[in-house]
Amino acid sequence: MTLTTLNFINGEWVSAQNGSFIRSINPSDFNEVVGTIADSTIEDLDDAVQAAKRAGVSWRKLSAVDRGNFLHKAADILENNVDEIAEIATREMGKVLHEMKGEVKRGVAILRYFAQEGMRQTGEVLPSAQSNNFLYTKRVPIGVVGIITPWNFPVAIPLWKIAPALIYGNTVVFKSASETGITAAKLVEVFNQAGIPGGVINFINGKGSVIGQGMVEHNDIHAISFTGSNEVGKQIAIGMAARGAKYQLEMGGKNPVIVLEDADLDLAANLTVLGAMKQTGQRCTATSKAFVQRSVYDRFKERVIEKVQSLKVGPGLFNGIDMGPLASKNQLDSVVDYIDKGLTEGATLLAGGRIPMGSECKNGFFIEPTVFGNVTNNMVIAKEEIFGPVLCLIKVESLDEAIELANDNMYGLSASLFTKDLAKAFIFADQIEAGLVQINGETGGAEPQAPFGGMKASSSHSREQGQAAKEFFTTIKTITITP
């Protein structure tokens, strides 16, 4: 079944003014067109922005509790449609179905968490130097917020941006990646079914060079929250800073695990492989390299290879599949190029590295889960984000050396340590340059109530989710009342 997706502007589904469409292809079978999405123009974007601007006048006047009620309704509707939305998303971007169902359920939790934000504190009373003054602060919405999201988490990332934007009184213009535009439209329809007023959330499809750049340049978009590549993130930062607008960027990662000689090696190997290969390695928090103490390197390596070789690769909708395809031909070509670079640099291919030959994979963008040994920290495959199922193993002598090498990178999103030594765990937590730190856990994973974000080139140094979300989606007003 081929699906057609329109733009959603001012509470109505409308075609792009030029009538053009972009095809969404199933990465498990490139002969299947999942559907079409609108290929919009700047004029379409302006319609969406103006609708959001008009709707903001009344939306911000609603009590936060009333705004939260819309999110509660949306959460219930999403929960009742987990299977349908997960299947569409798997067809669009390839993620294994059980992983995608888990992501949709996570989206439900995000909506419910931020719905409750409508009943939490948004200001404080302060002492004044003047005894008869009443001095207080309140958080107020920014205005129209542009939301730009990637294809790798087509449900969770849009919702952890849209939900806080709405609960704090902003209106939204939402652009998803073209690869997952149909899934994004299903999310917008959830809000529509929840009865959210027209213009509060607007959805527009189109090329990033047109719609994304148009958002950056539009004077009536007061903030942009973006997740995606560092290259695009830098362009957004330059453009938004030039006109004094607010921006939030979550970008790449090159996430390490450190395995010490006292670690539970079975646990470490299982979670390292899970962190590296889950969602075909297409996560900014994916495990990319493991620094392993020399005394246990060979034993850890054997466990990793055994685990990787047991993974079944195939279409995400098939039963018994552990790892689906890469999301596009460009992703596949990029990962293959990095594997070739690893071989050229002298790393040893321990597992995978090939395109599967099975009949179920012949028409998709598949690659075997790949492990390199004899990697040094200055190799390209150890420095650059691959965004695919490629794990590098690196020998180290000590925790100190491992931390030094792990920190020798432009990124600082997430990191894990496997050890039974509590003192070393605290040393690692203090010294590692990462925004998300795990002890005896995989590098991925985030909960709605906890701040999410990275250091260095991984982020613009703001945080998403949890109470931290209000820092971006509101601004503070200080008020003094003198009787």
Side-chain angles (χ1 to χ4, degrees), residues 277 308-309 311 313 323 351-354 367-371 389-390:
M277 308 306 171
V308 166
Q309 290 177 338
L311 298 178
V313 178
M323 197 180 89
R354 298 169 299 182
I367 191 72
E368 293 177 339
T370 300
V371 181
V390 180

Side-chain angles (χ1 to χ4, degrees), residues 330-361:
N330 286 341
Q331 281 297 114
L332 176 60
D333 290 345
S334 176
V335 172
V336 169
D337 184 57
Y338 274 111
I339 291 171
D340 290 342
K341 286 178 181 177
L343 294 171
T344 300
E345 289 179 308
T348 301
L349 186 63
L350 301 175
R354 298 169 299 182
I355 294 175
M357 293 291 103
S359 59
E360 71 276 13
C361 297

Side-chain angles (χ1 to χ4, degrees), residues 259-276:
V259 181
L260 299 184
E261 58 190 0
D262 69 333
D264 179 331
L265 293 185
D266 289 327
L267 175 71
N270 285 338
L271 292 184
T272 297
V273 171
L274 178 68

